[in-house]
Amino acid sequence: MTLTIPAQLEILKQKCLSCQKCGLCKTRHNIVFSGGVPNSKLMLIGEAPGYYEDMQGEPFVGKAGQLLDKIFASVGLSRQKDVYICNTLKCRPPDNRDPLPEEKAACKEYLDAQIEILKPRIILLCGRVAVASLMDTTLGITKLRGKWFEGPYFSKMMPIFHPSYLLRNDSREKGSPKWLMWQDIQEIKRVYDQMD
Ligand code: URA
């Protein structure tokens, strides 16, 4: 008997909840497994939970998350009905430091399993840590963003700026990070609408 996608994800989540594969299990308040809906059309992968995410057990609920919701809303998408959201790390690195190589390695099996279960058609790699988790490249996010790459399970994969970066760059002028994100989200929506 094949389990449904939500059932498979639930089993994986239970595995994460008891995970002690790296030191972050000692400092976490909550595992942040996923948010949004298990929609196989669109998956967004972020970096790691921050303070608010760790407290609430939900990804992207702080300021960056609010901006992310606005970016999706600008093209009529929402986390309540269109997007599955997860992170490369399921536990918060203390003081929001960069994830350590051993933490990324320990957590990779969970991200890979989320992708394998959902087989999303479109994967958005939000920021450089997410890019490094699925792409073998030395190019920075500025060079990669807005371009489509071949992702796992025949998905289309696009690196995009992390909303925290956009929060630090206020300009909306042509060529600015916010302006570029606006181009990217429109391209993402165009391809999203073509997918069945
Ligand atoms: N930044 C991320 O990359 N992920 C979150 O869940 C929150 C902030």
Side-chain angles (χ1 to χ4, degrees):
M1 191 188 72
T2 322
L3 293 173
T4 62
I5 287 176
Q8 293 178 60
L9 289 170
E10 187 53 35
I11 291 169
L12 183 64
K13 182 176 177 180
Q14 292 306 320
K15 217 171 144 189
C16 284
L17 289 176
S18 57
C19 180
Q20 301 196 342
K21 284 169 61 185
C22 81
L24 297 181
C25 66
K26 298 199 183 76
T27 49
R28 71 180 176 226
H29 291 94
N30 283 294
I31 294 272
V32 180
F33 181 71
S34 71
V37 283
N39 179 344
S40 57
K41 255 172 109 169
L42 182 56
M43 173 188 270
L44 177 131
I45 304 172
E47 179 174 330
Y51 173 82
Y52 293 103
E53 289 79 20
D54 177 52
M55 284 299 164
Q56 297 179 35
E58 273 282 316
F60 283 104
V61 288
K63 274 203 171 138
Q66 287 159 21
L67 178 55
L68 187 63
D69 285 343
K70 278 192 198 159
I71 292 164
F72 280 130
S74 72
V75 290
L77 296 173
S78 80
R79 74 165 82 192
Q80 287 77 22
K81 57 180 178 55
D82 307 301
V83 195
Y84 182 83
I85 301 177
C86 58
N87 282 307
T88 55
L89 290 197
K90 310 300 184 231
C91 298
R92 180 190 182 213
D95 306 318
N96 297 342
R97 64 158 168 70
D98 274 2
L100 301 173
E102 59 267 31
E103 294 162 353
K104 287 191 273 191
C107 224
K108 184 74 177 11
E109 71 163 288
Y110 301 126
L111 178 63
D112 286 345
Q114 283 171 307
I115 295 170
E116 189 185 347
I117 293 168
L118 272 172
K119 298 191 177 54
R121 310 292 307 279
I122 301 173
I123 298 179
L124 303 179
L125 301 171
C126 190
R128 69 188 159 82
V129 173
V131 167
S133 73
L134 287 190
M135 288 179 71
D136 189 10
T137 176
T138 51
L139 292 176
I141 187 81
T142 314
K143 288 253 159 59
L144 298 168
R145 60 131 284 279
K147 298 192 174 87
W148 290 112
F149 296 88
E150 200 177 302
Y153 303 99
F154 306 104
S155 59
K156 284 169 86 76
M157 196 162 70
M158 183 192 282
I160 57 171
F161 285 135
H162 195 285
S164 312
Y165 176 67
L166 300 179
L167 286 171
R168 297 193 296 271
N169 289 274
D170 234 14
S171 167
R172 286 168 191 277
E173 269 175 39
K174 192 170 177 184
S176 67
K178 276 195 174 136
W179 184 87
L180 292 169
M181 178 59 110
W182 172 238
Q183 312 305 306
D184 296 350
I185 195 67
Q186 290 183 80
E187 166 64 10
I188 292 159
K189 179 64 165 43
R190 188 186 68 75
V191 171
Y192 179 91
D193 285 340
Q194 285 173 359
M195 304 264 177
D196 21 78

